[in-house]
Amino acid sequence: LVLIITPIKRRTKKLAFHKFIYLFTRLFLATLFGIKTIRQNTANERFEKPAVIIANHQSFADILLLLSTTPKVVMVTNSWVWNSPFFGWVVKYADFHHAADGYETLAERVKERISECYSVVVFPEGTRSRGGSMHRFQGGAFRIATRAGAPIVPVTIDGSYRLMEAQGFWIRPATVRVTIHPPVPTADLSREQVRSLPDQVRDTIVSV
């Protein structure tokens, strides 16, 4: 509400809002009793250039983990988050995207966010998995990345299902490991290479 009534440029307001989300999620995760977050970033990825972040999805905690990775990030969310009376206004003001909008609309909006130097998080499984398992990756996220001309940064989240059940919000003591892998370029790929991207990225995420 303070940002809405503050007479500054809209882009400046949005960046301030994203920085607040980033700092809040990092502080929240750091102060949870019995929770240990291990972050591995061997490629030293700083997200100075925008990318499409592809991650596996084990629980609601994954959203907090990825929002605490970099300030300039938005997400493609499902209908539950988008229509939530608590989270809905937050994600809409933050320019997150609704998965139900369809491929064409999402592709154009993601391209717009990329042009504004924001990275975009997509969970290509389409739903949260259970017990640390991983569903098959759907191809839409990868077509969106190639259309936007952005590299894909695979991220492995391991152990968040112990922290929070797939359909629950009760937080339990756990160790969660977040591994950021080297970017996968999407420019000038053949049709066959585009078709193989989901399996290639999934194999990278599973490899940890």
Side-chain angles (χ1 to χ4, degrees):
L1 292 175
V2 171
L3 284 172
I4 290 172
I5 64 175
T6 302
I8 57 176
K9 292 182 178 180
R10 180 178 180 275
R11 181 171 293 189
T12 304
K13 291 182 183 182
K14 292 300 174 77
L15 181 57
F17 191 57
H18 282 278
K19 286 183 177 179
F20 169 77
I21 292 173
Y22 168 75
L23 293 171
F24 173 80
T25 51
R26 287 193 76 92
L27 179 63
F28 179 75
L29 290 169
T31 54
L32 286 176
F33 180 76
I35 307 302
K36 182 179 181 181
T37 304
I38 301 173
R39 299 178 187 268
Q40 295 182 317
N41 188 359
T42 55
N44 198 29
E45 176 60 52
R46 298 182 181 277
F47 298 101
E48 293 171 348
K49 295 183 178 180
V52 174
I53 301 171
I54 299 289
N56 60 308
H57 198 12
Q58 297 181 346
S59 77
F60 182 81
D62 302 335
I63 296 174
L64 304 178
L65 291 163
L66 291 172
L67 289 176
S68 65
T69 300
T70 174
K72 298 200 72 173
V73 63
V74 299
M75 289 187 165
V76 176
T77 65
N78 60 21
S79 295
W80 181 90
V81 176
W82 190 261
N83 297 321
S84 166
F86 181 76
F87 298 109
W89 70 271
V90 175
V91 300
K92 291 170 186 174
Y93 186 77
D95 284 336
F96 284 26
H97 303 297
H98 190 192
D101 286 341
Y103 167 72
E104 289 295 333
T105 300
L106 275 177
E108 287 304 312
R109 289 177 179 171
V110 167
K111 191 173 181 179
E112 184 180 349
R113 294 290 86 74
I114 293 291
S115 71
E116 296 171 350
C117 294
Y118 280 85
S119 294
V120 181
V121 173
V122 185
F123 297 111
E125 294 170 272
T127 185
R128 285 171 278 186
S129 58
R130 292 181 178 274
S133 62
M134 196 180 302
H135 299 304
R136 183 175 177 272
F137 282 7
Q138 301 175 22
F142 303 90
R143 293 195 299 272
I144 287 172
T146 55
R147 185 162 170 174
I152 292 171
V153 175
V155 175
T156 303
I157 300 174
D158 181 32
S160 69
Y161 70 94
R162 301 187 189 95
L163 173 65
M164 186 182 291
E165 292 181 356
Q167 303 301 326
F169 292 94
W170 184 258
I171 297 175
R172 299 168 296 188
T175 297
V176 183
R177 188 183 304 271
V178 179
T179 304
I180 301 173
H181 301 278
V184 177
T186 64
D188 301 320
L189 297 182
S190 66
R191 286 187 178 182
E192 185 60 36
Q193 288 173 317
V194 172
R195 283 195 293 268
S196 68
L197 272 177
D199 290 335
Q200 176 188 346
V201 173
R202 188 180 187 278
D203 289 345
T204 299
I205 292 174
V206 170
S207 66
V208 175

